[in-house]
Amino acid sequence: MSARSFDIGTLLEFEPPRYLCERCCGLLRAAPFDWHTRKAVCPVCQVEYIPTDEYPYIRVGDYLEQEGLGVAFKDLIGHSRSLASIARQMRTAPASPQLPNGPSLLSGLFQCLLRAERFVHFVSYGMSEMLLGALRMAAQRVAVRGIVSNVEERLATELRDHAADARHLKTRLFERGADAAQWHAMPHQKVIIVDGLLAFKGSANLTLSGWRKAEAGRDIIEVVTDVQEVVALNNRFFSPVWTEFDSRQQIVMTADPFGDD
Ligand SMILES: [Zn+2]
């Protein structure tokens, strides 16, 4: 096997997100404080973090970590390789002539959910029960945050009344049957973000029919492993809608004794 060229200098450009904003869950590559203005403001949603004796503005990164919003991995390179390997397999799916028994797209999604170490974010137009089950399984270990639109009553009840099945799964819902104004505001973008390192975009609704259609080549699901694009997808398509449900303009940095997401 011939060795491929790899410049370790490219690792210097590898800047995975380090924090999540408490309000918008935007992905931040650095703690959001500004030496000039002496303020700590989220660049994605503009919420201002108000300093306290315990957390002056320069310690906003420590505050976010304490709130469970740090994005650190035990082995960043190993974890990235593992997700990249799933992405590579998925790009050959549905089963190519070289891999007649290759993994399906859904299998790739399940593997990613299984290997997520910090969080999963998604925006989906509808959701099927099987995929809800997969997300609940992932949410036994990591924070799963999702925006679901066009939600029918049964699913809304299931999500609201049985949140204890997966307490790390948090959803914000746009229910079906909304009036015209709400219908126009209903998100139709589809994106799934895993650990800020990998994303699915395209028609990746969390419905079985969507993924089956993509497997049959009748819909598009693209796997993104360019970290800059993953961050942009999260901050552009997930965070602004997530923020709509949270009216805070300021967050006072006091330690939450129950600091759990
Ligand atoms: Zn924010």
Side-chain angles (χ1 to χ4, degrees):
M1 192 175 124
S2 66
R4 289 211 201 147
S5 161
F6 179 79
D7 183 342
I8 59 168
T10 58
L11 289 172
L12 297 175
E13 284 140 44
F14 182 31
E15 291 185 285
R18 292 184 57 198
Y19 306 100
L20 295 161
C21 168
E22 182 173 334
R23 179 183 180 223
C24 71
C25 291
L27 297 178
L28 313 175
R29 290 204 180 84
F33 64 81
D34 185 322
W35 287 106
H36 298 292
T37 59
R38 297 197 162 265
K39 283 192 169 180
V41 176
C42 169
V44 181
C45 73
Q46 314 304 321
V47 75
E48 184 177 358
Y49 290 90
I50 304 298
T52 54
D53 288 346
E54 191 177 8
Y55 291 103
Y57 84 106
I58 54 166
R59 288 196 64 215
V60 61
D62 296 335
Y63 167 76
L64 291 172
E65 271 176 12
Q66 178 275 140
E67 291 292 293
L69 296 163
V71 186
F73 303 97
K74 272 192 220 124
D75 173 8
L76 173 62
I77 299 293
H79 184 43
S80 301
R81 283 179 64 102
S82 155
L83 292 176
S85 153
I86 300 168
R88 181 182 281 178
Q89 287 175 11
M90 291 182 78
R91 287 179 182 128
T92 65
S96 71
Q98 291 78 26
L99 291 166
N101 299 312
S104 71
L105 286 176
L106 264 176
S107 141
L109 172 64
F110 291 154
Q111 285 185 55
C112 286
L113 293 176
L114 200 59
R115 293 190 198 187
E117 289 188 5
R118 299 298 304 167
F119 66 88
V120 176
H121 292 168
F122 64 88
V123 186
S124 180
Y125 190 79
M127 178 159 51
S128 54
E129 288 192 6
M130 185 175 99
L131 287 159
L132 171 59
L135 290 164
R136 277 181 166 161
M137 189 71 87
Q140 303 302 314
R141 300 172 40 243
V142 300
V144 179
R145 305 179 185 92
I147 298 154
V148 195
S149 54
N150 193 34
V151 176
E152 36 86 18
E153 199 179 328
R154 201 168 131 230
L155 178 62
T157 308
E158 173 67 26
L159 286 166
R160 288 201 184 105
D161 294 356
H162 300 286
D165 289 351
R167 72 185 184 93
H168 296 304
L169 171 66
K170 305 271 193 276
T171 50
R172 295 182 173 177
L173 310 178
F174 289 81
E175 291 186 47
R176 191 181 288 179
D179 63 29
Q182 286 176 310
W183 192 85
H184 284 297
M186 199 177 267
H188 201 256
Q189 61 266 53
K190 305 108 202 297
V191 68
I192 304 168
I193 313 282
V194 180
D195 284 341
L197 298 170
L198 176 146
F200 301 100
K201 69 173 184 179
S203 51
N205 279 323
L206 284 161
T207 62
L208 202 50
S209 63
W211 284 73
R212 293 275 187 253
K213 262 186 188 294
E215 283 173 355
R218 301 285 163 165
D219 230 329
I220 300 168
I221 289 173
E222 195 181 322
V223 195
V224 179
T225 45
D226 176 327
V227 172
Q228 200 167 343
E229 188 181 349
V230 173
V231 170
L233 285 167
N234 183 87
N235 293 358
R236 188 170 164 209
F237 293 114
F238 173 83
S239 292
V241 189
W242 190 255
T243 310
E244 282 178 26
F245 292 75
D246 185 336
S247 61
R248 284 177 295 176
Q249 299 298 314
Q250 296 184 322
I251 292 173
V252 180
M253 293 192 279
T254 47
D256 176 0
F258 305 103
D260 191 5
D261 183 45

